[in-house]
Amino acid sequence: MSRRPVAVAASVLTVLALGAVSACSGNSSASTGGSGSTPTIKLMAGGLDKQIYLPYQLAQQLGFYKKYGVNVQLSTEQDGGVGAEEAMASGQVDMAGAWYNHTIEFQAKGKAVEDVIQLSGAPGEREMCTTKSKVHSAADFKGKTLGVTDLGSGTDTLTQFLAAKKGIKTSQFHRIGVGSGSTAIAALQNGKVDCVMTTQPTVAAIQKKGVGASAIDLATTNGATAAMGGAYPAASVLARTDWVDSHKATVQKVVDALVATMHWINTHSAADIANKLPASFVSNQLVTKADYIAALNEDKGQFLPDGLMPAGGPKTSLATEKLVGNVKGSVDLGKTFTNDFAVQANKTEGFKTTTTPAGPNG
């Protein structure tokens, strides 16, 4: 069930991941190296170069992990490899930069995983459709071939959910995995699919090439609320509950760094953000830096300014999981997330919070 966009520049991401490959093998634990030393944690994200996941790398670029006393070893999912959430659940890494809804799916399978900081209130995705498809909303999905990152992925779940909201059954349209980046664009260009659900910077590349246009906006909190009936918490930091309980001080340091990053994002321009990210993230074979900045300007509203799980978000996510059949039993939403670390981080820094936090029932 990985939210695993295909790498935009595989060679670049391979280089970025080399230093963390060893971090993704064997049992993982927050290494302290002795009393009073800086703890090290391993965090795998579902595509570090994707705009929906930019806070993890930005925190590194801004020096915030170091500032708040933790050494974070970042790695990124590779296409066809283990998903970040699965690597975390199996103990290969300590934390996962992945979507919140995994916590619900894990609980349904009897595994205790929780979200310790919420970075976005929207999936950051758009349904990009060709003009020929005549798709303007999910009501037009009947008889169409729709591209998703891969079957069982977050984009697959969202596609089914949008269809169900409009009374369209999964048997009435076809879904295929097309990845993202160049493979998603090629699927649209070659007529393999009518639409593809994808994120930035692929969206910007599709628009620039004139291959397709946005039919459904799930890229901003307002867009997600309009399409899904409420904020949909996506990018977050997930960890096993037992690990969180035994590493609370370290978790707080990571959350402190990321809350500071979210505040920085909220108070800086898209150009400022792009200037801090690795050059290969913002300028590559798909997009120019100007494209990247324009796309971020358009979709920057997905990011939450204070790292708090928004009220109603967990309920929207649970409704999505149930509607598409991923979860059939009862779920204790209060065990799938915590705002405690983010509340403390904002308090420590004196940041004013603006997100209405979710209560224990979501």
Side-chain angles (χ1 to χ4, degrees):
M1 295 274 180
S2 172
R3 281 59 185 160
R4 55 183 72 170
V6 176
V8 171
S11 61
V12 173
L13 290 181
T14 299
V15 172
L16 286 170
L18 282 176
V21 168
S22 61
C24 299
S25 61
N27 294 327
S28 174
S29 62
S31 172
T32 59
S35 177
S37 63
T38 302
T40 294
I41 72 106
K42 302 166 186 175
L43 189 156
M44 179 185 285
L48 287 172
D49 65 334
K50 299 298 178 181
Q51 282 192 4
I52 58 173
Y53 292 134
L54 72 83
Y56 313 113
Q57 186 68 48
L58 182 59
Q60 194 81 279
Q61 303 299 117
L62 293 172
F64 284 169
Y65 295 129
K66 181 178 180 180
K67 175 182 177 180
Y68 290 97
V70 62
N71 177 35
V72 176
Q73 296 178 352
L74 294 173
S75 60
T76 194
E77 286 183 5
Q78 298 299 306
D79 185 33
V82 64
E85 73 284 349
E86 294 296 344
M88 172 274 301
S90 65
Q92 295 177 56
V93 295
D94 304 305
M95 293 177 155
W99 285 10
Y100 159 73
N101 69 303
H102 287 302
T103 66
I104 295 174
E105 295 170 353
F106 277 126
Q107 187 179 126
K109 297 174 183 177
K111 298 180 180 180
V113 170
E114 63 187 83
D115 177 340
V116 298
I117 177 174
Q118 190 59 45
L119 307 182
S120 67
E125 308 279 349
R126 289 181 183 273
E127 190 73 39
M128 302 298 293
C129 303
T130 64
T131 302
K132 183 180 179 180
S133 72
K134 296 183 179 179
V135 173
H136 303 290
S137 77
D140 303 318
F141 281 178
K142 186 181 293 186
K144 305 300 181 182
T145 298
L146 307 177
V148 298
T149 308
D150 55 57
L151 296 180
S153 69
T155 54
D156 189 18
T157 297
L158 289 176
T159 298
Q160 294 177 68
F161 177 77
L162 292 173
K165 289 273 284 187
K166 295 296 185 179
I168 308 297
K169 299 178 181 179
T170 54
S171 60
Q172 295 178 300
F173 60 95
H174 185 51
R175 307 174 342 266
I176 61 173
V178 298
S180 64
S182 59
T183 56
I185 295 170
L188 281 174
Q189 284 179 317
N190 300 334
K192 187 176 182 180
V193 296
D194 296 292
C195 305
V196 61
M197 185 175 286
T198 190
T199 185
Q200 298 287 9
T202 306
V203 165
I206 290 172
Q207 292 172 327
K208 188 173 183 179
K209 291 175 180 289
V211 178
S214 175
I216 304 173
D217 168 22
L218 300 178
T220 62
T221 302
N222 288 340
T225 298
M228 307 181 72
Y232 184 88
S236 63
V237 173
L238 311 181
R240 299 181 312 279
T241 298
D242 62 342
W243 187 88
V244 172
D245 289 343
S246 60
H247 296 83
K248 288 187 175 181
T250 299
V251 173
Q252 187 64 62
K253 292 175 188 293
V254 174
V255 174
D256 287 347
L258 285 169
V259 163
T261 301
M262 303 316 293
H263 179 74
W264 196 93
I265 290 172
N266 189 51
T267 56
H268 287 75
S269 69
D272 290 335
I273 295 168
N275 287 336
K276 288 293 183 180
L277 291 170
S280 61
F281 283 25
V282 303
S283 180
N284 48 61
Q285 69 264 38
L286 287 185
V287 292
T288 64
K289 189 172 183 179
D291 293 331
Y292 187 95
I293 292 172
L296 186 54
N297 266 323
E298 187 176 7
D299 293 350
K300 189 166 173 271
Q302 69 189 274
F303 296 115
L304 299 170
D306 42 34
L308 295 172
M309 172 64 75
K315 287 185 177 180
T316 301
S317 188
L318 178 58
T320 304
E321 295 294 320
K322 287 191 171 184
L323 192 59
V324 302
N326 287 344
V327 174
K328 294 181 172 63
S330 62
V331 172
D332 185 347
L333 290 175
K335 293 182 179 179
T336 62
F337 72 95
T338 176
N339 275 325
D340 291 350
F341 295 106
V343 167
Q344 182 58 51
N346 281 285
K347 182 179 179 180
T348 298
E349 291 301 316
F351 294 146
K352 180 181 179 180
T353 60
T354 57
T355 301
T356 301
N361 295 322

